[in-house]
Amino acid sequence: MNGLKEKIIQNLIAENRWKLFLNGLGITLEVTFFAVLIGIVLGFIIAIIRSSSKYTFKSATANLIMRVLDFICRVYLTVIRGTPVLVQLMIMYFVIFASSSNKVLAAVLSFGLNSAAYVAEIIRSGIMSIDGGQLEAGRSLGFNYASTMVYVIIPQAFKNVLPALANEFIVLLKETSVSAMIGLSDLTYGANLIRSRTYEAFFPLIFLALIYLVMVMLFSWLVSKLERRLRNSDR
Amino acid sequence: MTDNNILIETKGLKKSFGQTEVLKGIDLKIKRGEVIVIIGPSGSGKSTFLRCLNLLETPTGGDIYFDGNNLMDKHTNINLHRRKMGMVFQHFNLFPHMSILKNMTLAPVKLLGFSKAQAEEKAMTLLKRVGLEDRAKSYPSQLSGGQKQRIAIVRALCMEPEVMLFDEPTSALDPEMVGEVLDVMKSLATSGMTMAVVTHEMGFAREVGDRVLFMDEGVIMEQGTPDEIFNHPQNPRTQSFLSKVL
């Protein structure tokens, strides 16, 4: 029992090692937060472009622009989903950010751009799940296409895909752990550092896993609360 | 457009889906305050014709004049005209994520610049008219089919339209709920609303219609007063259709 206590102290408290966890946690949360933000905004834009590309607009120019944008989006999705996120991260940091050493920004951009591709497909599946009559009802009242999307289609689509979206963000949060590969001092990096100092793998890694687990559980709980609120109309 | 009494006029209206020509040139004038009932077998093009009137389907040829404006003109902003053309669908198409009151006030507030209070007052008045004022706070999923369709009608009326288009409004309803919806439509017709109704309810067509159109194979085969169509049909297709449904 004494040995256990000693080891915990050695791995977590001695030399302020908990600070490695705390600072790492801060970086992990920072990267995740901004990556989610990029993912949502860009993902929504891509989803709307992709699901509007089949729609025939009145002006020929609008149709042409939509088709070009749709093509760009499809290339983007193919590339992002076709390559590992770790490779994307390394390209971002060692190639694109070669002359800079802003690891946080490189990680935020990599994970954000990566997540956007998945978010886009999730949202698009949500938009496609909405009955065509909803768009017609909106249009028949006099709303233009964009307003109908904003007031009628997107809110319903969002509600339908919320579980899938939450899943994507849980994956993203955990995925940021690979950014130790570019030397970003995130949570995983901190735990690993302790392991290399104390020659003790068990406590730092289990503690690391616990922190991720608690964060994910907290997030899941928040999402389920939101889901319940949005389900008001389904009673 | 010279005759100010004509609200909607179609000239040679055509619509094809791929190789299939669904509408083969429809000419029709709808007068203000007139109730037009369109009947005909499935696949006759009657729903497509109705949906062309507010450009939910884009016609492949011909012209549509609404209140003197050619809706087929590239420079016409169809959104402005749709505000004045209420539409009721077979499957209601209420917005399930909004309360009944929100369903009804969304468009007047966002498009007509009504204040929330104004729009809600108008909505409540209309809800009272169809006997559903106690459902204002409900959501569509909590209503029966007949109630949903009555809400869909008053949602369209909130925009103060000049014409109401009904696309088989009772076809998706349980039989015992058809009556309550038809009653609302009848009182709307009595109030002088211009209406175009695609329906299989022959009783309604006979009782409420000012003019009945029989459509088949993408053309208007015959039209006339309910008495002319139902009691003295001239066209053999009309006769054969009516003998099957009456």
Side-chain angles (χ1 to χ4, degrees):
Chain A
M1 204 55 207
N2 240 351
L4 186 73
K5 193 174 161 193
E6 226 164 73
K7 281 195 170 152
I8 291 179
I9 289 175
Q10 187 203 355
N11 280 293
L12 300 181
I13 298 170
E15 295 178 32
N16 280 339
R17 290 198 166 117
W18 57 272
K19 271 195 175 166
L20 282 171
F21 276 112
L22 198 64
N23 294 339
L25 179 65
I27 301 268
T28 292
L29 287 177
E30 186 185 350
V31 170
T32 307
F33 178 78
F34 288 107
V36 163
L37 224 63
I38 293 176
I40 290 184
V41 172
L42 195 58
F44 257 100
I45 294 172
I46 295 173
I48 290 170
I49 289 172
R50 292 227 51 214
S51 45
S52 306
S53 62
K54 280 170 274 32
Y55 183 84
T56 325
F57 291 92
K58 205 166 62 175
S59 106
T61 350
N63 279 320
L64 184 70
I65 292 172
M66 281 314 280
R67 223 155 316 145
V68 171
L69 287 176
D70 182 51
F71 178 75
I72 295 170
C73 288
R74 269 188 308 184
V75 171
Y76 179 79
L77 293 180
T78 308
V79 171
I80 293 290
R81 293 196 298 171
T83 52
V85 66
L86 179 55
V87 174
Q88 292 164 15
L89 177 68
M90 292 200 296
I91 290 175
M92 181 66 81
Y93 184 64
F94 295 117
V95 181
I96 299 170
F97 273 61
S99 58
S100 153
S101 58
N102 194 334
K103 291 173 179 159
V104 172
L105 188 61
V108 164
L109 281 177
S110 298
F111 290 113
L113 295 179
N114 180 272
S115 185
Y118 294 93
V119 170
E121 289 299 271
I122 292 171
I123 305 271
R124 191 168 71 92
S125 73
I127 291 174
M128 288 194 310
S129 73
I130 305 301
D131 180 62
Q134 292 288 311
L135 181 67
E136 290 187 348
R139 298 304 308 269
S140 78
L141 286 167
F143 286 108
N144 61 25
Y145 180 82
S147 303
T148 310
M149 285 304 257
V150 170
Y151 297 127
V152 179
I153 309 293
I154 301 282
Q156 296 183 60
F158 181 74
K159 192 172 81 171
N160 288 355
V161 299
L162 193 58
L165 218 47
N167 194 43
E168 163 60 23
F169 295 139
I170 288 172
V171 170
L172 177 61
L173 169 70
K174 295 184 296 178
E175 229 171 30
T176 58
S177 62
V178 302
S179 40
M181 277 298 286
I182 61 164
L184 179 70
S185 49
D186 75 333
L187 193 54
T188 304
Y189 183 92
N192 212 26
L193 200 61
I194 295 171
R195 185 181 63 82
S196 66
R197 295 267 169 80
T198 61
Y199 301 106
E200 176 76 52
F202 184 80
F203 285 100
L205 294 185
I206 293 297
F207 193 58
L208 171 67
L210 272 178
I211 297 177
Y212 278 113
L213 181 64
V214 168
M215 282 196 292
V216 169
M217 283 170 65
L218 202 68
F219 180 70
S220 304
W221 176 72
L222 285 174
V223 171
S224 70
K225 279 194 81 157
L226 177 62
E227 236 176 283
R228 232 171 301 149
R229 256 195 55 192
L230 291 178
R231 295 257 164 241
N232 264 348
S233 55
D234 294 349
R235 271 163 304 173
Chain B
M1 294 301 294
T2 45
D3 193 348
N4 198 30
N5 214 13
I6 304 292
L7 185 58
I8 298 179
E9 179 172 8
T10 68
K11 287 182 181 167
L13 193 68
K14 285 186 182 164
K15 173 70 182 176
S16 301
F17 292 107
Q19 295 298 312
T20 324
E21 195 173 35
V22 182
L23 297 179
K24 298 173 181 165
I26 307 269
D27 298 296
L28 180 69
K29 290 178 181 175
I30 303 176
K31 290 202 283 280
R32 286 177 199 279
E34 194 176 20
V35 177
I36 299 270
V37 181
I38 306 169
I39 60 172
S42 302
S44 58
K46 54 193 194 305
S47 272
T48 305
F49 174 64
L50 192 79
R51 290 159 54 81
C52 277
L53 292 181
N54 65 352
L55 297 201
L56 279 186
E57 301 287 355
T58 311
T60 31
D63 285 310
I64 303 166
Y65 294 91
F66 173 64
D67 222 354
N69 306 287
N70 189 351
L71 299 186
M72 293 292 283
D73 189 322
K74 263 192 165 44
H75 304 290
T76 303
N77 183 353
I78 185 62
N79 296 320
L80 295 179
H81 297 293
R82 281 195 182 126
R83 296 177 187 178
K84 294 180 240 160
M85 308 171 100
M87 181 135 194
V88 176
F89 301 87
Q90 182 177 357
H91 295 288
F92 329 127
N93 297 346
L94 296 178
F95 305 136
H97 58 304
M98 295 177 187
S99 70
I100 297 308
L101 203 57
K102 191 79 205 290
N103 260 280
M104 296 175 67
T105 55
L106 180 74
V109 169
K110 302 284 183 197
L111 296 176
L112 301 183
F114 278 41
S115 73
K116 191 164 171 265
Q118 273 176 313
E120 286 185 353
E121 194 188 322
K122 176 152 186 59
M124 287 311 293
T125 313
L126 283 163
L127 279 176
K128 256 176 221 143
R129 234 167 80 185
V130 295
L132 289 170
E133 68 268 32
D134 55 329
R135 306 316 294 265
K137 295 257 165 5
S138 305
Y139 283 87
S141 60
Q142 298 165 309
L143 304 184
S144 72
Q147 289 174 328
K148 279 183 203 169
Q149 197 60 299
R150 282 187 278 161
I151 297 295
I153 294 172
V154 286
R155 177 176 72 177
L157 289 178
C158 276
M159 291 297 282
E160 299 177 348
E162 291 182 29
V163 60
M164 287 285 286
L165 311 174
F166 291 86
D167 187 8
E168 302 198 23
T170 57
S171 297
L173 295 176
D174 290 338
E176 76 268 27
M177 292 170 181
V178 170
E180 62 192 67
V181 172
L182 291 182
D183 284 343
V184 171
M185 291 168 64
K186 269 180 221 167
S187 82
L188 195 57
T190 316
S191 75
M193 176 64 77
T194 312
M195 292 164 62
V197 185
V198 170
T199 188
H200 293 290
E201 293 295 325
M202 297 304 150
F204 177 84
R206 197 192 284 260
E207 188 184 340
V208 183
D210 294 319
R211 182 150 49 115
V212 178
L213 311 184
F214 173 71
M215 273 185 77
D216 197 10
E217 293 172 0
V219 293
I220 299 175
M221 289 267 175
E222 189 170 0
Q223 57 176 304
T225 64
D227 178 57
E228 283 165 358
I229 296 293
F230 288 108
N231 299 333
H232 319 285
Q234 303 299 314
N235 189 307
R237 299 298 300 265
T238 319
Q239 292 164 354
S240 121
F241 173 75
L242 288 174
S243 71
K244 280 176 211 151
V245 297
L246 289 182

